[in-house]
């Protein structure tokens, strides 16, 4: 049975692109975030940088959502705080990881979350994923193996392994968010604020222990204009701007369209790493990068089609 499509207004494509462009810009800044984090962070300053990064944006989120925060139930607070603990682990793994690997590798390896999440969900629900998705997952994993062997077949670096663990932690975060019933009814702003607040609390506690690196205060005093620019880029654009654009875009277009555009993040991470940082993945690495991008794109389309 067919139907006649309604006429599309002449201005519709233009309005769609006006929505798409800010979302695409979020993917670009997220892709560049690995290079920015690498530029201002060392193994000795990871915790301090994380405290500073989120302490900058938290007051803005608190001011914007204070009324909604008061409306959260005790169960919603507990659920959001639990998600925040997982989130703190993700940021720790990602930030330590990017210190010990290239920005290109970091952005491409973390994109495996798009493959890991449907696989983990399939395992939890005991529903076998489509063969096409399994093939896409295999392609992505093969790509990561080649990507981390750009200079010849050696053991993956510590940073590569940490980014792989970060991708797995992101998967845990997504699954927890979908299974903690209390947070499903919470609004996005309140949920994000409590999660980031919990993560900052974890980082602050870690920073208080001796031997965990420089203090946030000492790092802030030591920062020059370049480091502050990098930190503000991570705080304002990669966190505040990205969050509000996602909320704005989902109300004006489909979640799948937003997901598709945000899925270009690893492409921009690779582009920034190669063009700005001078990353040279080598022939094997380039082949691996292409396989990762192809596999995650194919897997995302297969998962979306199966869900539909």
């Amino acid at each position: 049975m067919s139907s006649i499509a309604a006429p599309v207004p002449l201005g519709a494509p233009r309005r769609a692109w006006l929505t798409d462009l800010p979302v695409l810009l979020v993917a670009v800044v997220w892709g560049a975030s690995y290079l920015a984090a690498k530029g201002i962070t060392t193994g000795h300053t990871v915790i301090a940088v994380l405290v500073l990064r989120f302490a900058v944006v938290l007051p803005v989120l608190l001011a914007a959502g204070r009324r909604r925060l008061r409306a959260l139930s005790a169960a919603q607070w507990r659920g959001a705080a639990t998600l925040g603990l997982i989130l703190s682990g993700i940021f720790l793994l990602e930030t330590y990881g990017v210190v010990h690997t290239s920005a290109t590798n970091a952005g491409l390896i973390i994109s495996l979350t798009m493959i890991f999440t449907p696989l983990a969900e399939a395992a939890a629900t005991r529903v076998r994923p489509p063969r096409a998705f399994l093939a896409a997952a295999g392609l992505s994993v093969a790509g990561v193996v080649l990507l981390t062997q750009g200079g010849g077949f050696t053991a993956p670096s510590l940073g590569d392994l940490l980014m792989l663990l970060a991708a797995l932690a992101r998967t845990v975060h997504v699954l927890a968010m979908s299974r903690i019933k209390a947070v499903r009814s919470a609004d996005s702003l309140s949920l994000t604020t409590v999660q980031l607040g919990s993560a900052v609390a974890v980082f602050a506690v870690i920073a208080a222990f001796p031997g965990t690196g420089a203090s946030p205060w000492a790092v802030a005093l030591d920062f020059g204009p370049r480091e502050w620019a990098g930190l503000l880029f991570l705080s304002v654009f990669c966190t505040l701007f990205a969050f509000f654009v996602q909320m704005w875009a989902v109300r004006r277009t489909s979640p799948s369209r937003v997901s598709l555009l945000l899925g270009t993040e690893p492409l921009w991470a690779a582009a920034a790493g190669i063009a700005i940082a001078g990353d040279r993945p080598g022939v094997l690495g380039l082949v691996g990068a292409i396989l990762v991008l192809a596999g995650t794109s194919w897997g995302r389309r297969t998962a979306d089609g199966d869900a539909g």
Side-chain angles (χ1 to χ4, degrees), residues 25-151:
L25 185 57
V26 169
V28 173
V29 298
W30 276 356
S33 68
Y34 302 100
L35 187 59
K38 190 174 182 67
I40 66 171
T41 314
T42 67
H44 191 61
T45 62
V46 167
I47 304 300
V49 168
L50 286 171
V51 171
L52 294 171
R53 173 180 175 178
F54 295 108
V56 168
V57 300
L58 197 57
V60 179
L61 293 174
L62 287 170
R66 60 186 182 278
R67 292 182 180 177
R68 297 177 185 179
L69 284 170
R70 286 197 291 266
L72 292 178
S73 67
Q76 288 173 328
W77 274 96
R78 288 193 299 270
T82 300
L83 292 174
L85 294 178
I86 301 172
L87 192 66
S88 67
I90 294 171
F91 280 113
L92 285 168
L93 288 167
E94 285 185 357
T95 310
Y96 274 113
V98 81
V99 167
H100 296 289
T101 190
S102 67
T104 300
N105 279 22
L108 289 166
I109 293 172
I110 202 68
S111 70
L112 288 178
T113 303
M114 290 184 282
I115 295 294
F116 291 159
T117 302
L119 287 176
E121 192 168 16
T125 58
R126 297 184 180 180
V127 176
R128 183 181 175 85
R131 290 183 179 180
F133 182 84
L134 293 176
L139 192 67
S140 299
V141 172
V144 167
V145 171
L146 291 177
L147 176 69
T148 59
Q149 306 303 319

Side-chain angles (χ1 to χ4, degrees), residues 36 40 223-237:
I40 66 171
F223 269 3
R226 184 184 68 84
E227 288 79 12
W228 276 109
L231 182 71
L232 291 175
F233 172 77
L234 291 170
S235 299
V236 176
F237 288 96

Side-chain angles (χ1 to χ4, degrees), residues 46 98 135 158 197 219 235 283 285 296 299:
V46 167
V98 81
L158 173 63
V219 170
S235 299
V283 176
T296 52

Side-chain angles (χ1 to χ4, degrees), residues 18 24 37 82 106 121 127 132 157 160 171 174-175 179 196-197 215 233 243 253:
L18 288 176
L24 189 61
T82 300
E121 192 168 16
V127 176
S157 71
D160 294 333
T171 298
V174 172
L175 292 181
R179 281 163 172 71
L196 290 183
S215 71
F233 172 77
F243 169 71
T253 186

